[in-house]
Amino acid sequence: MTGAETEDDIPLGERKTVTDFCYLLDKSKQLFNGLRDLPQYGHKQWQSYFGRTFDVYTKLWKFQQQHRQVLDSRYGLKRWQIGEVASKIGQLYYHYYLRTSETSYLNEAFSFYSAIRQRSYYFQVNKEDRPELVVKKLRYYARYIVVCLLLNKMDLVKVLVKELSEEIEDYTQRFNTEDQLEWNLVLQEVAAFIEADPVVVLNDNNSVVTISNRLQEGSVPPLEQGMVVGQLILADALIIGNSNNQVKFSELTIDMFRMLQALEREPVNLATQTSKQGTMEPNEKPAKRENPHKYLLYKPTFSQLFTFLSASFKELPANSVLLIYLSATGVFPTGHSDYEGPYDFGGVLTNTNRDVVNGETVQKRNQAQKEMHCLHPGDLFPFTRKPLFVIVDSSNSTAYKNFTNLFGQPLVCLLSPTVYPKSVQDQSQRGSLFTLFLYSPLLAFSSVCGLNSVQRGLWERAQEFLRKVYRDIGQMLTRSRTIDQAFLQFFGDEFLRLLLIRFVFCSAALRLHKLFRESQSFPESYPELPKQDTVESSLLQKHILELATMLDVQSLFWDDSLEAY
């Protein structure tokens, strides 16, 4: 209540408006804070709670729009408070995206975050002598940047980073705070993240073109008519990032960021389906075009990883596939035992506070004991009771060649090279070359050929050519008489089909590249692919040389590749 007015001076209707607003505001905060207590895993437990939270925020947003004048004069509603409500709704949509993997919710988060900036809701915050309000503004910027990165709005990200930098400078000068280093680190991380792509596509005027690498209509080679492949569907994916020294922002390493996009369809903008911002209900689902559900685990401990894995396994629907993507530092065994089992080859690092020497962990214990903070191949054995698709990007990926298919369910492991030429190794902080091939084969191919930029027209021609190559690779896989059936059982799913095709392209391209001479520099798989039919096919080698010629890098590849072996 403002001024010298007493409550009795205020008309009853206006007093009720303020009371109702306070109730909705308190209720919304209470529900929002309760979201932290929900289990992060499991598909169903959280939905009704999220729905209630959305409902209250939707009412609150409409209420403050309808009664803005009364709330301004009688409650003293400030613009930053409206900004806080909008920011919370943006966060709800973003978390709904994380929980459902439906990319359209990212657009909804973006529309709220965008409105906050356009309407300058936080503008007055800098004039108030309250550092905690400025921190709200800084956090809003960081969240907005994450959403823009995921929507590939790179031009806007650069503008937001500049604004955030100015805000941080102003904040640290006005308030002698202890979190200055923390905020500067945020800036450094996002700057490195933006620069992580090794190759840029340029327009005629040399401005950078933003390329999306999510699944688009027509980007997956169709199955040949009458082709018998499995009907399995990729339903769940664990994306795990635990690589030392890799570019990251907001608990997403660059490898995780790339892989999550490789498992998503291009977003549809839901804003066109609603007349007003903030009116969409959480149960208004877009048309059926599901992405696989994903868990993003940044540096998980073994316990966390195993808990999420068990939850995914438990809830996996019939005729569905669980995908596990591991981008992590290798853990190597010391010594050899007489019997080599699934715990004798090491694996990849799980998180713990322990020494890391030269990026690889060194054991400090009795050689007979196994490394504890490590995901061994044997740890995944129980989960092979259902169809399992594993991708390992690590310096010890070959540990996962030592799988045994105990239960006869479809099982495939795609394994990265374990040794790279120095020029590639030097780039590893900006993400792994293997994951880059699975995310954008043309980006990876251009990078490994030392190109820093490609003109847009040439890029589009090369992409069109690659579509033809992918069709041919698809036919090689489905027509091979010696291929393991596991590959074909996964081939009916569009995401897995594209990953398998990109894997074969990566393997063939690196085999022909003159810098990649050691066998450890080539990807491997379990079960093994028939090389003559796939990665060493003369037709595929011809295609790779044509692509190299198109990009004017043919001198980097063996032309008569058979002589090289």
Side-chain angles (χ1 to χ4, degrees):
M1 310 296 161
T2 57
E5 287 175 318
T6 65
E7 216 165 281
D8 295 339
D9 297 332
I10 297 170
L12 195 61
E14 293 185 6
R15 201 184 312 160
K16 186 176 185 316
T17 298
V18 171
T19 307
D20 290 352
F21 177 76
C22 289
Y23 169 77
L24 284 172
L25 192 61
D26 287 345
K27 186 72 179 163
S28 67
K29 285 178 181 172
Q30 182 189 333
L31 285 168
F32 191 90
N33 291 337
L35 291 172
R36 296 191 191 104
D37 301 326
L38 292 177
Q40 291 174 289
Y41 48 84
H43 294 199
K44 301 288 178 280
Q45 301 96 316
W46 57 273
Q47 279 180 328
S48 60
Y49 192 94
F50 251 80
R52 290 209 308 283
T53 311
F54 258 103
D55 288 345
V56 171
Y57 270 97
T58 302
K59 283 176 191 162
L60 179 64
W61 186 251
K62 285 180 184 169
F63 194 88
Q64 62 82 22
Q65 284 177 323
Q66 290 161 359
H67 303 283
R68 181 74 58 82
Q69 211 171 347
V70 173
L71 293 170
D72 279 351
S73 61
R74 302 300 190 195
Y75 175 80
L77 185 66
K78 293 189 167 64
R79 288 187 68 73
W80 67 260
Q81 290 172 300
I82 303 167
E84 268 297 278
V85 175
S87 179
K88 289 279 200 298
I89 295 172
Q91 286 176 64
L92 280 173
Y93 277 122
Y94 174 64
H95 284 286
Y96 211 73
Y97 155 72
L98 288 180
R99 294 265 185 178
T100 62
S101 300
E102 176 46 69
T103 35
S104 302
Y105 291 120
L106 279 174
N107 279 319
E108 295 304 311
F110 175 79
S111 70
F112 274 91
Y113 286 149
S114 178
I116 292 169
R117 183 165 166 266
Q118 285 166 359
R119 298 173 193 177
S120 306
Y121 282 139
Y122 281 121
F123 182 69
Q124 297 293 335
V125 158
N126 292 27
K127 296 183 179 175
E128 301 207 22
D129 195 25
R130 293 174 61 188
E132 72 277 10
L133 290 186
V134 183
V135 169
K136 284 180 190 289
K137 185 178 186 178
L138 299 182
R139 284 184 178 151
Y140 149 72
Y141 265 106
R143 292 183 182 115
Y144 190 12
I145 287 167
V146 171
V147 168
C148 291
L149 283 171
L150 287 165
L151 287 170
N152 289 308
K153 296 181 185 288
M154 296 318 249
D155 290 342
L156 180 53
V157 168
K158 286 169 187 170
V159 173
L160 293 174
V161 169
K162 188 171 180 293
E163 288 178 16
L164 176 58
S165 175
E166 289 162 3
E167 293 288 347
I168 290 170
E169 200 173 325
D170 178 65
Y171 167 64
T172 51
Q173 280 176 1
R174 284 175 57 215
F175 307 103
N176 188 15
T177 62
E178 292 176 4
D179 56 358
Q180 180 177 353
L181 285 175
E182 227 170 278
W183 282 109
N184 285 334
L185 184 62
V186 168
L187 281 178
Q188 287 166 22
E189 283 184 350
V190 72
F193 211 87
I194 296 167
E195 299 299 323
D197 276 359
V199 184
V200 293
V201 182
L202 299 175
N203 273 319
D204 293 341
N205 63 359
N206 281 345
S207 61
V208 176
V209 183
T210 300
I211 304 291
S212 173
N213 291 293
R214 285 187 170 94
L215 194 72
Q216 295 175 339
E217 291 297 319
S219 64
V220 185
L223 292 169
E224 291 179 89
Q225 210 166 359
M227 171 47 58
V228 180
V229 294
Q231 301 302 305
L232 296 170
I233 291 168
L234 177 59
D236 241 49
L238 266 76
I239 296 178
I240 295 144
N242 195 12
S243 289
N244 294 309
N245 310 322
Q246 198 175 89
V247 168
K248 66 161 274 276
F249 182 60
S250 178
E251 303 222 321
L252 271 182
T253 65
I254 193 70
D255 278 357
M256 293 171 72
F257 178 72
R258 286 171 178 157
M259 187 48 65
L260 79 86
Q261 291 184 72
L263 298 177
E264 289 181 346
R265 298 176 195 280
E266 197 56 37
V268 169
N269 195 342
L270 291 186
T272 54
Q273 301 172 14
T274 58
S275 54
K276 262 187 211 165
Q277 269 190 337
T279 57
M280 185 180 150
E281 300 288 338
N283 55 5
E284 279 183 53
K285 287 278 164 56
K288 193 169 183 177
R289 43 187 302 286
E290 281 99 348
N291 295 317
H293 171 264
K294 296 183 298 297
Y295 289 121
L296 305 175
L297 301 180
Y298 173 68
K299 296 203 167 183
T301 62
F302 179 80
S303 308
Q304 288 168 325
L305 200 163
F306 217 66
T307 302
F308 280 84
L309 197 46
S310 302
S312 282
F313 179 82
K314 176 175 177 278
E315 297 195 346
L316 198 68
N319 301 317
S320 296
V321 181
L322 172 59
L323 181 146
I324 303 169
Y325 167 78
L326 295 162
S327 160
T329 301
V331 177
F332 296 90
T334 55
H336 289 281
S337 56
D338 296 337
Y339 162 73
E340 293 205 324
Y343 287 88
D344 291 316
F345 299 95
V348 299
L349 186 68
T350 53
N351 198 25
T352 175
N353 298 325
R354 60 195 302 275
D355 298 327
V356 175
V357 183
N358 296 329
E360 304 302 348
T361 63
V362 177
Q363 289 190 284
K364 299 176 181 174
R365 60 161 60 96
N366 183 326
Q367 288 191 4
Q369 295 173 339
K370 306 306 174 201
E371 172 53 59
M372 203 164 40
H373 301 288
C374 167
L375 187 75
H376 296 268
D379 293 323
L380 297 180
F381 278 19
F383 303 102
T384 60
R385 287 175 169 85
K386 293 182 181 178
L388 191 65
F389 194 99
V390 183
I391 300 171
V392 186
D393 196 338
S394 172
S395 52
N396 192 24
S397 61
T398 48
Y400 295 81
K401 269 199 313 187
N402 305 292
F403 246 110
T404 312
N405 191 342
L406 299 173
F407 303 105
Q409 290 292 314
L411 170 66
V412 161
C413 302
L414 306 183
L415 311 170
S416 71
T418 54
V419 174
Y420 289 103
K422 187 173 185 316
S423 57
V424 176
Q425 191 56 43
D426 290 346
Q427 295 288 311
S428 61
Q429 194 180 354
R430 295 164 76 175
S432 156
L433 180 68
F434 179 64
T435 293
L436 194 61
F437 264 105
L438 298 180
Y439 162 73
S440 171
L442 186 52
L443 197 62
F445 190 86
S446 306
S447 169
V448 88
C449 294
L451 300 175
N452 297 317
S453 64
V454 178
Q455 291 301 126
R456 183 178 197 157
L458 176 57
W459 178 271
E460 286 169 357
R461 285 199 305 280
Q463 284 286 38
E464 192 55 45
F465 176 71
L466 271 179
R467 274 191 270 279
K468 175 179 178 291
V469 177
Y470 295 165
R471 278 199 304 276
D472 286 350
I473 293 173
Q475 288 175 2
M476 288 172 198
L477 291 167
T478 53
R479 292 177 183 179
S480 168
R481 296 190 172 178
T482 52
I483 194 167
D484 192 289
Q485 288 302 299
F487 292 102
L488 300 182
Q489 285 172 297
F490 290 125
F491 211 70
D493 181 88
E494 287 190 321
F495 291 105
L496 300 180
R497 189 185 320 156
L498 205 50
L499 286 172
L500 287 169
I501 287 170
R502 288 172 174 176
F503 174 81
V504 171
F505 175 78
C506 169
S507 302
L510 298 188
R511 275 175 160 74
L512 277 190
H513 198 292
K514 289 179 179 175
L515 284 180
F516 290 74
R517 295 320 316 141
E518 296 182 56
S519 61
Q520 301 105 296
S521 296
F522 307 141
E524 297 193 57
S525 67
Y526 170 89
E528 274 192 58
L529 281 165
K531 290 191 174 62
Q532 290 303 316
D533 294 351
T534 58
V535 298
E536 290 176 5
S537 144
S538 54
L539 174 63
L540 184 49
Q541 290 175 342
K542 180 171 159 283
H543 284 330
I544 286 163
L545 293 171
E546 284 176 61
L547 179 63
T549 304
M550 197 183 280
L551 295 170
D552 199 22
V553 290
Q554 62 271 38
S555 62
L556 296 174
F557 293 84
W558 299 104
D559 206 335
D560 187 3
S561 56
L562 296 177
E563 288 178 11
Y565 294 98

